[in-house]
Amino acid sequence: MNTMKIWRIMFILLAAFSLASCSSDDDEETVSGSDAQRALFEMKNNYSGELRYGIKDEAARQTLKGYTARSAEGLTISLPLEPIAEQVKDATIAQKIRALGYAEVYATYQFEAVEKGGDARFVLQPQMVADERMATPLTRTQPVTYSGLTLLFTGTYTGNFVKANEALVFNICVGRVLIDNEPLEGFLPVVYTFQGNAQYAAPEDKEETQVEKEHRQQTDYALQGKWFLDEQELIATNLIGNGLTRYDRSQSGYCYDFYNSHFTIRYFDNYAGKSGENKLVANGTYTIRYDEKTGDTMLRLYTYATETESPSIIFQFTVYQLNGSDMELRTYTANSETIYKLSRWDPIR
């Protein structure tokens, strides 16, 4: 059975179980603890594929290719906030939500069936999102107990894992939104549907020492957040003596967002009258590796091309500079070196 046929069957099953939204809490649990642990082990991986989202019960959907979800003891996925910002009437608050870009969601699994062959059916139980990135004031109302954006989830949607092609399909629904602890009036629930296949990251070549581990953790902490790359700061250095080439197209730029092993890269154009990120270039997961012998810190981005279904590709950078406000990344080819100079993203106020 080819991949397209498998996806059609999975979506039929997913629709049958998830469009009803909620499963009964009175159902007896039929999956043993050992079966659940086996399913978690089988499903543990990064998955790359497609994210579709839109208003619940409406046919219109946006599609993002090259999207990533991570399965371990639970499921982690970053959800774009654009469909939520679109429902905010206050233009200033809407823009601030757009500047956040996405929210990382963590959900636990509740297995309904685990087959001997490794297939599994489950429901997700997403946790409320109100993390530190959301805690910047969205309004000027003072005082407030908590300033920011809170996402609450509704429904118990069924997801599926198919071992044969290591495919994962699931839905998540944002049912309520709070802004500065106040419900967003007239909010229509937004459903996100993910489908993807297992993505294998290249194994590290050796075990970390304690020094390497501590350096990696410190680098990752400093990396967290949004970074701005003005295209005029992209420099190619020819290593065989032909000089420098500076790419000067400063009317546009890129926003790199690193958060808990996930990243997004968005392209935007301030000179086109658009003041925030407006196009997803790539997203996926990243790893950091510090080599105690050479002193190099390697940043590897594992991603899919957003316009194709091609296999996973890796972007590898050497981190030469990283502090609270600036970062310099470099890549090498046989004849040249490319330098990316980034600065901390300053959201539109």
Side-chain angles (χ1 to χ4, degrees):
M1 184 180 293
N2 62 34
T3 302
M4 290 302 296
K5 289 182 179 179
I6 292 174
W7 279 123
R8 290 192 186 101
I9 292 172
M10 290 181 68
F11 271 114
I12 292 171
L13 291 174
L14 187 63
F17 285 103
S18 63
L19 289 181
S21 180
C22 293
S23 62
S24 172
D25 293 333
D26 298 329
D27 292 344
E28 294 184 4
E29 184 175 352
T30 59
V31 177
S32 67
S34 59
D35 283 343
Q37 287 299 314
R38 177 165 58 87
L40 287 174
F41 176 78
E42 293 283 358
M43 295 167 58
K44 186 175 182 180
N45 216 314
N46 294 326
Y47 294 82
S48 289
E50 180 178 279
L51 183 74
R52 301 174 66 245
Y53 59 88
I55 303 299
K56 182 181 177 182
D57 300 327
E58 292 186 4
R61 286 288 185 273
Q62 297 292 322
T63 300
L64 295 175
K65 293 184 178 181
Y67 225 80
T68 302
R70 180 177 57 187
S71 179
E73 291 302 310
L75 181 97
T76 305
I77 187 169
S78 299
L79 301 180
L81 294 172
E82 177 61 29
I84 294 172
E86 288 179 350
Q87 298 191 54
V88 177
K89 296 179 180 178
D90 187 304
T92 300
I93 297 177
Q95 180 55 42
K96 289 182 178 180
I97 294 176
R98 288 189 174 94
L100 291 174
Y102 68 92
E104 182 164 284
V105 176
Y106 179 81
T108 56
Y109 290 109
Q110 179 180 331
F111 289 97
E112 294 189 334
V114 177
E115 306 296 337
K116 291 183 179 180
D119 294 356
R121 187 176 74 248
F122 55 86
V123 294
L124 291 175
Q125 299 173 323
Q127 297 180 1
M128 178 186 73
V129 173
D131 61 33
E132 292 181 359
R133 289 192 329 128
M134 305 293 181
T136 54
L138 294 174
T139 72
R140 298 179 180 178
T141 305
Q142 296 291 339
V144 290
T145 304
Y146 170 83
S147 298
L149 179 70
T150 303
L151 307 182
L152 302 173
F153 301 90
T154 187
T156 324
Y157 289 88
T158 301
N160 291 279
F161 172 73
V162 177
K163 177 62 178 176
N165 60 342
E166 297 190 81
L168 189 68
V169 179
F170 60 84
N171 286 332
I172 292 179
C173 179
V174 177
R176 295 180 61 206
V177 172
L178 307 181
I179 296 177
D180 293 344
N181 280 334
E182 295 294 328
L184 179 60
E185 294 184 5
F187 177 74
L188 299 175
V190 177
V191 176
Y192 299 83
T193 301
F194 176 85
Q195 64 169 33
N197 296 85
Q199 170 188 347
Y200 295 96
E204 301 295 348
D205 49 12
K206 65 183 182 66
E207 186 176 351
E208 286 182 306
T209 66
Q210 184 61 28
V211 171
E212 290 171 342
K213 180 179 179 180
E214 292 176 357
H215 189 282
R216 173 181 56 80
Q217 292 173 338
Q218 292 170 0
T219 302
D220 197 20
Y221 179 80
L223 184 69
Q224 301 287 301
K226 290 176 178 284
W227 298 85
F228 168 74
L229 171 66
D230 189 323
E231 289 191 5
Q232 71 176 358
E233 293 299 336
L234 176 60
I235 303 172
T237 306
N238 193 315
L239 298 182
I240 60 175
N242 291 333
L244 303 178
T245 301
R246 179 182 293 272
Y247 297 95
D248 190 358
R249 293 176 290 172
S250 58
Q251 289 187 347
S252 57
Y254 294 86
C255 178
Y256 288 67
D257 195 346
F258 297 94
Y259 187 69
N260 284 4
S261 298
H262 283 73
F263 79 93
T264 60
I265 303 175
R266 292 183 177 273
Y267 172 83
F268 60 94
D269 189 347
N270 283 334
Y271 286 76
K274 299 177 181 179
S275 56
E277 304 117 305
N278 53 47
K279 182 179 180 181
L280 179 69
V281 175
N283 84 330
T285 58
Y286 68 85
T287 62
I288 297 170
R289 185 77 189 196
Y290 174 66
D291 190 322
E292 189 176 359
K293 292 182 178 180
T294 65
D296 288 338
T297 301
M298 307 305 298
L299 173 64
R300 294 173 178 171
L301 308 184
Y302 300 91
T303 183
Y304 270 53
T306 58
E307 300 301 328
T308 71
E309 298 286 342
S310 61
S312 177
I313 56 178
I314 301 174
F315 296 99
Q316 180 165 295
F317 302 93
T318 303
V319 181
Y320 275 86
Q321 174 181 297
L322 177 59
N323 55 46
S325 59
D326 297 294
M327 174 165 55
E328 184 175 298
L329 305 175
R330 300 187 185 187
T331 59
Y332 297 93
T333 64
N335 298 317
S336 66
E337 172 187 59
T338 303
I339 303 170
Y340 299 80
K341 293 186 176 181
L342 292 82
S343 57
R344 281 284 181 185
W345 174 265
D346 184 14
I348 305 299
R349 298 295 179 182

